[in-house]
Amino acid sequence: GESVGLHLPTLSVQEGDNSIINCAYSNSASDYFIWYKQESGKGPQFIIDIRSNMDKRQGQRVTVLLNKTVKHLSLQIAATQPGDSAVYFCAENSLGETSGSRLTFGEGTQLTVNP
Amino acid sequence: KAGVTQTPRYLIKTRGQQVTLSCSPISGHRSVSWYQQTPGQGLQFLFEYFSETQRNKGNFPGRFSGRQFSNSRSEMNVSTLELGDSALYLCASSLFPGSNQPQHFGDGTRLSIL
């Protein structure tokens, strides 16, 4: 079946560096993508989203890039802090804007920020 | 504004029993979805409810069911529990289904089957 996958299961960076987390998706019909952060013992926390009619969106210290040609999604975190340590998931809504919400998640990347 | 609230946080059951989990969405949110999270399978979609109707369903057996009440609160039920049902069950809410608005998650119910 269709799935959203991540390139690397783990990523280790130094505090203050920029982090880039990648995700490849396979459903070309997906039109909405979300990045979530999940800390131990908690549910996924919304970070940023992007619609398929955009190729870039910026938030506070985070940027999401969407390349529909190669079906690739990335999350960039600027000036990474120890509090950013968590598992990051990309997710896609494959049902379309009017058909409902059904998120398909990638496998997750464990980001570790070293002080 | 309160987030998504799930109760109970932890639950221990034995094989063959049934369990009911509860979810209160963010105030004003009318769509509720349920997901199962396990180390082996990751996050998988169970079902979505809106206006007390199931709109979408994932690939889970009929032992997994749910419902939504008129106040948008939702429950999910798992009957004849199996060891493989041990997982973190997550509830997420959004304003409407399919509106391309983010789903916001609760902290889940950790279900352990002995």
Side-chain angles (χ1 to χ4, degrees):
Chain A
E2 305 279 13
S3 65
V4 178
L6 284 166
H7 292 300
L8 293 174
T10 61
L11 178 64
S12 184
V13 301
Q14 291 297 122
E15 182 178 358
D17 286 352
N18 296 332
S19 303
I20 299 177
I21 301 172
N22 295 305
C23 175
Y25 66 94
S26 57
N27 188 345
S28 57
S30 294
D31 60 358
Y32 179 60
F33 304 87
I34 310 174
W35 281 99
Y36 287 96
K37 170 188 180 183
Q38 187 174 25
E39 297 173 285
S40 181
K42 295 189 176 182
Q45 175 189 353
F46 170 81
I47 301 174
I48 193 168
D49 58 0
I50 189 167
R51 291 179 172 76
S52 59
N53 61 353
M54 305 170 68
D55 53 20
K56 180 179 180 179
R57 191 168 188 215
Q58 289 183 292
Q60 187 176 10
R61 284 201 305 119
V62 295
T63 301
V64 55
L65 299 177
L66 175 62
N67 185 331
K68 293 182 290 293
T69 301
V70 296
K71 290 186 279 189
H72 184 268
L73 194 69
S74 70
L75 176 70
Q76 300 178 0
I77 305 173
T80 314
Q81 303 167 0
D84 294 328
S85 294
V87 178
Y88 289 80
F89 293 95
C90 64
E92 61 178 320
N93 186 8
S94 55
L95 288 185
E97 190 167 353
T98 60
S99 300
S101 303
R102 175 178 179 155
L103 293 179
T104 300
F105 283 83
E107 295 175 358
T109 291
Q110 172 70 60
L111 175 65
T112 301
V113 182
N114 303 306
Chain B
K1 196 172 187 179
V4 177
T5 304
Q6 292 187 245
T7 56
R9 287 296 313 276
Y10 303 93
L11 207 48
I12 299 175
K13 292 286 186 179
T14 57
R15 283 180 296 174
Q17 287 186 311
Q18 72 167 15
V19 66
T20 299
L21 312 180
S22 180
C23 171
S24 294
I26 292 172
S27 177
H29 285 195
R30 296 173 59 192
S31 174
V32 174
S33 298
W34 289 89
Y35 293 82
Q36 181 195 65
Q37 186 174 27
T38 60
Q41 299 299 317
L43 278 148
Q44 292 188 295
F45 172 79
L46 280 158
F47 26 65
E48 175 197 22
Y49 285 88
F50 175 71
S51 293
E52 303 176 63
T53 302
Q54 186 180 93
R55 286 199 48 148
N56 293 291
K57 189 177 190 305
N59 297 323
F60 280 83
R63 299 185 297 107
F64 292 81
S65 63
R67 59 177 176 169
Q68 186 182 34
F69 302 95
S70 59
N71 61 358
S72 296
R73 192 176 69 83
S74 177
E75 290 181 346
M76 69 163 282
N77 184 77
V78 187
S79 63
T80 318
L81 287 164
E82 301 177 0
L83 293 176
D85 297 333
S86 294
L88 180 66
Y89 290 89
L90 293 159
C91 170
S93 74
S94 59
L95 284 170
F96 298 101
S99 59
N100 281 348
Q101 294 192 18
Q103 293 182 32
H104 296 275
F105 284 82
D107 286 335
T109 294
R110 172 74 62 185
L111 175 62
S112 299
I113 311 302
L114 303 179

